[in-house]
Amino acid sequence: MATCYRHPSRETAVSCSSCGRPICPDCMTPTPVGMRCPECSAQRTKVHTMRSATSEPRVTVVLIVACAVLFLGTNGFSGGSGRLWTDLYLDGPDIHFGHDYWRLVTSGFLHSGPIHILFNMYLLWLLGNLLEPTLGSGRFAALYLTALLWGAFGALVVQPDVQTVGASGAVFGLMGAAAVEQRARGINPFQTDIGVLIILNLVLSFVLSNISIGGHIGGLVGGILVGVAFEGAARLRRPELGYAGCLVLSAFAVVGALAAAG
């Protein structure tokens, strides 16, 4: 077990959410993004310019813009229509017989109506602003893509013959990764807004109609696994291992999805 960087005689399983150094209870300072060491907590009031503040969640912004453009391009206000919609949504037969493998990804950028896209983009914006500055844009993008693929995997396992669209699987993955991040910092996620979001959205998944339960659960599981991979890589101080974990998890999801589609 690691020892506190300021008190080498004290073992600890908690590390600073900013610099990653192990810290003991006497050195922990609670912050909205986890426990921080004395040096990092002293810098938590750093002032950002408008330019730097708006540029931090740049992958989040790109994802939202992509979803909005496809929503308009596929006539999403009418529930989705046109050749583009037909070519991009997720369903097993088109993947198995038509070899339309791109649907595993593109379906996560389509939405079936204004409420659908507004709800997903609102959660994506909240979670993106929480996670992307903490993880960095590269790791955040890897997390999102992996969770999206796991959402497609879950959707095909449960309902392979049903047309499925939406960023919900990836968004659930962000929730799962955020919960792992909080847990690693010594915070019980179910005593925070993240835990409430996970429970509330899982309940809605089973209560509301026309919801991809498999997609939601698959994305959540994928996000949790990515979070574990990132935390393990951080403890070893080998960030490349986190990306390798995402690659392995994504490959597993794709293989599983193709099997489920057949």
Side-chain angles (χ1 to χ4, degrees), residues 25-36:
D26 289 342
C27 298
M28 297 178 190
T29 300
T31 73
V33 293
M35 296 296 180
R36 287 189 172 178

Side-chain angles (χ1 to χ4, degrees), residues 89-174:
Y89 63 66
L90 179 71
D91 78 329
D94 282 310
I95 291 176
H96 180 66
F97 297 108
H99 306 295
D100 297 350
Y101 305 129
W102 61 83
R103 294 176 184 270
L104 297 174
V105 175
T106 58
S107 59
F109 291 88
L110 299 181
H111 290 84
S112 59
I115 295 178
H116 191 200
I117 190 171
L118 286 174
F119 185 70
N120 278 343
M121 294 305 98
Y122 175 67
L123 289 178
L124 174 54
W125 176 250
L126 290 180
L127 294 165
N129 275 275
L130 172 68
L131 283 172
E132 189 174 348
T134 302
L135 296 176
S137 294
R139 291 201 300 167
F140 179 79
L143 161 64
Y144 192 88
L145 176 59
T146 306
L148 187 153
L149 290 171
W150 272 77
F153 174 30
L156 289 171
V157 167
V158 177
Q159 294 177 305
D161 298 326
V162 174
Q163 296 176 8
T164 304
V165 297
S168 304
V171 170
F172 262 88
L174 299 183

Side-chain angles (χ1 to χ4, degrees), residues 62-81:
V62 169
L63 291 170
I64 292 174
V65 170
C67 288
V69 169
L70 279 175
F71 179 76
L72 297 175
T74 56
N75 196 23
F77 287 103
S78 299
S81 61

Side-chain angles (χ1 to χ4, degrees), residues 137-230:
S137 294
R139 291 201 300 167
F140 179 79
L143 161 64
Y144 192 88
L145 176 59
T146 306
L148 187 153
L149 290 171
W150 272 77
F153 174 30
L156 289 171
V157 167
V158 177
Q159 294 177 305
D161 298 326
V162 174
Q163 296 176 8
T164 304
V165 297
S168 304
V171 170
F172 262 88
L174 299 183
M175 296 182 203
V180 172
E181 175 78 11
Q182 290 182 333
R183 189 69 179 176
R185 308 308 173 196
I187 302 172
N188 183 350
F190 292 101
Q191 294 179 346
T192 69
D193 292 341
I194 294 298
V196 173
L197 273 178
I198 292 174
I199 294 174
L200 175 61
N201 281 277
L202 281 176
V203 170
L204 291 177
S205 299
F206 287 93
V207 171
L208 299 179
S209 60
N210 298 320
I211 297 293
S212 177
I213 298 173
H216 289 183
I217 294 177
L220 179 62
V221 171
I224 290 173
L225 293 175
V226 172
V228 171
F230 281 164

